[in-house]
Amino acid sequence: MGAAERDPYRDTWVRYLGYANEVGESFRSLVPVQVVWASYGVATAYVTADAIDKGRRAAAAHTRDPAQATRVGVAVVDTFVWQGLASVAIPSFTINRLCAASLALLGALTRWPLPLRRWATTALGLAAIPLIITPIDRSVDFLMDSSLRKLYGVPGEPPAPH
């Protein structure tokens, strides 16, 4: 991908669809569980679309060299695993536990009515989303560089199309 070419899954508003599940987890105490699961559907669709896009880009870059087809698979797998961990699994678990703990603590430490405690928990969850993104992204980079990426020998981001 050229320097001037924008990645729609990373450089536009579409990237925020990857955070849908964190928003869903933040609202878990206020909405039916089906709404939370729907937020996971949105985030998973984003992750899948990004992985497919990276595979298409890698395939287009290697149309003249079929021996490089492995790079297409690497681009898809790396993107899907990275996004699955950094955009869905780890942040949603983090927000879920933060909200559950805050709701329990507010119940134990305050006399606030339950609706107020639920809204406070939701606000805390939403406020935490921007704070957890960078540490989780960096941790997933480290995890991937220390494990899966060693199998295909490319540290950092998946191989970019030329």
Side-chain angles (χ1 to χ4, degrees):
M1 184 163 56
E5 188 178 349
R6 287 178 49 171
D7 181 341
Y9 295 96
R10 304 205 182 160
D11 301 327
T12 69
W13 65 269
V14 174
R15 183 174 187 344
Y16 296 110
L17 294 175
Y19 303 123
N21 55 308
E22 287 96 314
V23 173
E25 285 295 344
S26 294
F27 278 92
R28 183 180 281 273
S29 67
L30 294 170
V31 300
V33 72
Q34 294 87 347
V35 173
V36 177
W37 287 113
S39 73
Y40 277 86
V42 171
T44 301
Y46 163 81
V47 167
T48 304
D50 188 25
I52 291 168
D53 177 66
K54 298 310 171 283
R56 285 184 181 156
R57 290 172 187 260
H62 299 297
T63 56
R64 294 185 187 143
D65 187 3
Q68 293 291 331
T70 302
R71 291 178 65 86
V72 174
V74 166
V76 171
V77 169
D78 191 88
T79 301
F80 191 81
V81 171
W82 191 94
Q83 287 281 17
L85 290 170
S87 295
V88 180
I90 297 170
S92 60
F93 177 79
T94 303
I95 296 297
N96 177 286
R97 295 295 80 208
L98 176 68
C99 288
S102 68
L103 188 60
L105 280 172
L106 287 172
L109 300 175
T110 72
R111 293 182 181 207
W112 295 355
L114 182 58
L116 180 59
R117 291 193 315 257
R118 286 180 173 169
W119 277 106
T121 295
T122 298
L124 177 65
L126 292 172
I129 294 170
L131 302 175
I132 67 171
I133 293 168
T134 300
I136 289 174
D137 287 357
R138 289 183 182 161
S139 298
V140 172
D141 280 335
F142 178 78
L143 174 67
M144 297 277 295
D145 288 347
S146 302
S147 60
L148 185 62
R149 290 180 178 154
K150 285 186 174 190
L151 297 175
Y152 47 83
V154 181
E157 291 191 24
H162 301 277

